[in-house]
Amino acid sequence: PAKAHQLAGLRWLASCWLTGRPGALLADEAGLGKTLQALAFLVWLREHQGSDLPALVIAPADLLTHWEAEIGRHFAADAMGRVVRAVAPVQDLADWADAGLVLTTYEQIRDHHTAFASQSFAAILYDEAQQLKDPASQTTRAAKTLNARFQLAITAAFGECRPVELSSILGVIDRGLLVPDDQ
């Protein structure tokens, strides 16, 4: 069963979506259920918003198995739709059309940003979002080319970010919030 703070987080994410926010930052200490909240939000999107677009989870390579395990542990087999790992995005692009969830890495979006940018997503989740803390990095620049109705940054290292790093992360999930895109 979900804990009270996880349910509150899910309600908050749903309200961000419903009020038209372009993104949100889910920052909490490690082990408090950020992944579960994010996955529950994606299930909510599928069930209540009727989007045919897939969602995209971008995470460090060693965490993709964790995401798959959390899906299997907490949700029915079809709750996310078909889950696809995009480790060779150009080859997987055709599979995304009927996928419910695409799992990939920061390296893949950096190296194959054109393929990822050509697909629209209902939502993009950035796990370990501190990977986007350098506004000049190829990874951050690639993330800004992606197309989604909603973007969610997830991190347990929020308190370790300097203001310029936080600005970079927020600039990905809510472009123009702090600094115009062209600067």
Side-chain angles (χ1 to χ4, degrees):
K3 297 179 177 156
H5 73 276
Q6 293 167 330
L7 292 172
L10 174 57
R11 282 191 299 273
W12 175 72
L13 289 171
S15 76
C16 287
W17 174 275
L18 292 170
T19 58
R21 297 220 25 113
L25 173 65
L26 187 56
D28 209 341
E29 293 179 27
L32 294 180
K34 293 180 297 299
T35 302
L36 178 58
Q37 289 174 63
L39 288 170
F41 172 68
L42 293 180
V43 170
W44 176 85
L45 277 179
R46 279 183 68 81
E47 291 178 355
H48 295 91
Q49 300 303 304
S51 177
D52 292 334
L53 296 173
L56 176 66
V57 170
I58 303 165
D62 60 338
L63 291 182
L64 294 184
T65 301
H66 168 73
W67 279 86
E68 291 168 329
E70 288 294 294
I71 293 167
R73 183 177 302 122
H74 299 290
F75 301 96
D78 62 345
M80 299 286 160
R82 195 167 62 85
V83 178
V84 174
R85 264 200 195 207
V87 292
V90 174
Q91 296 163 349
D92 290 340
L93 189 58
D95 287 341
W96 298 353
D98 69 341
L101 181 63
V102 178
L103 300 171
T104 196
T105 66
Y106 286 98
E107 291 78 17
Q108 290 297 317
I109 65 159
R110 179 196 65 214
D111 296 345
H112 304 283
H113 64 274
T114 304
F116 284 97
S118 69
Q119 170 68 48
S120 293
F121 296 96
I124 299 174
L125 283 60
Y126 301 94
D127 193 9
E128 301 289 337
Q130 62 274 17
Q131 301 276 335
L132 303 171
K133 68 183 182 181
D134 179 357
S137 76
Q138 290 179 336
T139 301
T140 302
R141 289 174 186 253
K144 288 184 173 186
T145 69
L146 303 180
N147 179 15
R149 156 68 177 80
F150 188 83
Q151 298 190 65
L152 177 62
I154 305 165
T155 183
F158 179 74
E160 299 169 16
C161 290
R162 298 176 314 178
V164 68
E165 296 167 342
L166 176 59
S167 174
S168 179
I169 294 168
L170 293 175
V172 170
I173 62 170
D174 193 348
R175 294 181 189 125
L177 176 67
L178 300 176
V179 178
D181 265 347
D182 59 354
Q183 294 189 13

